[in-house]
């Protein structure tokens, strides 16, 4: 297909649709690619032949299909399930659903960064979030209590803010953690395969940090773990 837009940086915004499934917008972008639709159900379909340095996407409960020819990387967001998936390492993504949730499927950006912002909750979509640094923010909860309901991650650094819900994370390896739960009786529960380095963690009710094969340590002097109840478990040491 012929390229519609060639640019270093492209902010592309529309009230309604950007492209269609049958005829996506063809771009060649080498910088930041920003895509925004504002009406509920207004999808985004873009096919890029360049290598954008980063992606910024914002929709309101709308389908998104992003295809990239320059690297093995595609991102898909399904309106019906709120499932966000992306395969192959490459550039990071900032993704917002302004009127609904995000269910994290297999989302892998390798050594790059991910920022997710949801109006309702961020839930487990059956996959693992793989990135260098991840920032998760939501009005509701991040993950949920119970077996198989936590957000599965493989990240170096995680910042998780649930403004009126709990935070539930299952990290495969070691992690540097900042986590905040909001609203009455909500918890922060984090299980990690390696050392948990705590930057700041707070919850109205329970804070539970469990390192299966490592330590639970402070990032710096003055690190705060705040909750009505705190449970810290580690196979190694707890403290500095």
């Amino acid at each position: 297909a012929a390229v519609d837009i060639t640019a270093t940086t492209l902010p592309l915004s529309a009230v309604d649709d950007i492209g269609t499934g049958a005829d996506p917008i063809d771009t060649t972008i080498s910088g930041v690619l920003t895509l925004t639709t504002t009406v509920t159900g207004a999808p985004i379909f873009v096919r890029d032949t360049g290598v954008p340095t980063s992606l910024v996407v914002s929709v309101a409960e709308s389908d998104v299909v992003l295809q990239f020819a320059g690297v093995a990387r595609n991102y898909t967001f399904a309106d019906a399930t709120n499932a966000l998936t992306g395969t192959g390492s490459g550039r990071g993504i900032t993704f917002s659903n302004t009127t609904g949730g995000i269910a994290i499927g297999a989302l892998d950006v390798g050594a790059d960064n991910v920022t997710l912002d949801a109006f309702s909750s961020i839930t487990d979509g059956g996959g693992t979030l793989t990135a260098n640094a991840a920032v998760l923010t939501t009005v509701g909860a991040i993950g949920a209590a119970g077996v198989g309901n936590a957000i599965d991650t493989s990240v170096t650094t995680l910042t998780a803010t649930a403004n009126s819900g709990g935070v539930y994370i299952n990290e495969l390896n070691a992690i540097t953690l900042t986590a905040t739960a909001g609203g009455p009786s909500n918890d922060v529960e984090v299980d990690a395969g390696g050392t948990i380095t705590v930057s700041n963690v707070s919850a109205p009710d329970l804070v539970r940090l469990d390192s299966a094969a490592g330590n639970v340590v402070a990032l710096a002097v003055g690190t705060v773990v705040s909750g009505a109840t705190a449970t810290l478990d580690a196979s190694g040491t707890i403290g500095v």
Side-chain angles (χ1 to χ4, degrees):
V3 174
D4 299 307
I5 303 171
T6 300
T8 300
T9 298
L10 176 63
L12 194 58
S13 178
V15 174
D16 289 304
D17 306 358
I18 295 176
T20 67
D23 187 18
I25 301 296
D26 288 287
T27 62
T28 300
I29 307 301
S30 58
V32 180
L33 176 58
T34 302
L35 304 167
T36 304
T37 58
T38 56
V39 170
T40 300
I44 296 174
F45 296 93
V46 170
R47 181 169 52 202
D48 189 82
T49 57
V51 184
T53 56
S54 64
L55 308 171
V56 180
V57 181
S58 178
V59 293
E61 287 286 302
S62 307
D63 290 332
V64 177
V65 177
L66 307 179
Q67 298 173 290
F68 298 88
V71 291
R73 182 180 78 255
N74 299 289
Y75 292 108
T76 302
F77 180 72
D79 174 25
T81 61
N82 284 342
L84 177 64
T85 59
T87 58
S89 61
R91 305 302 183 268
I93 186 169
T94 296
F95 186 91
S96 301
N97 185 2
T98 60
T99 58
I102 297 173
I104 298 176
L107 184 59
D108 184 352
V109 299
D112 291 292
N113 302 327
V114 169
T115 298
L116 304 180
D117 192 339
F119 177 76
S120 54
S121 294
I122 295 176
T123 58
D124 175 37
T128 298
L129 169 59
T130 301
N132 174 39
V135 177
L136 311 181
T137 306
T138 179
V139 172
I142 297 174
V147 177
N149 294 324
I151 304 297
D152 295 309
T153 64
S154 179
V155 301
T156 302
T157 302
L158 175 67
T159 301
T161 304
N163 287 297
S164 55
V167 176
Y168 302 89
I169 302 294
N170 180 35
E171 165 60 33
L172 295 178
N173 305 296
I175 188 172
T176 298
L177 178 68
T178 301
T180 304
S185 303
N186 287 317
D187 307 327
V188 170
E189 298 193 42
V190 177
D191 294 281
T195 292
I196 301 174
T197 301
V198 179
S199 175
N200 192 297
V201 176
S202 64
D205 196 3
L206 170 67
V207 172
R208 184 182 64 81
L209 307 179
D210 190 333
S211 170
N215 310 315
V216 177
V217 297
L219 179 63
V221 174
T223 293
V224 174
V225 174
S226 174
T229 304
T231 302
L232 309 180
D233 292 314
S235 63
T237 61
I238 298 175
V240 295

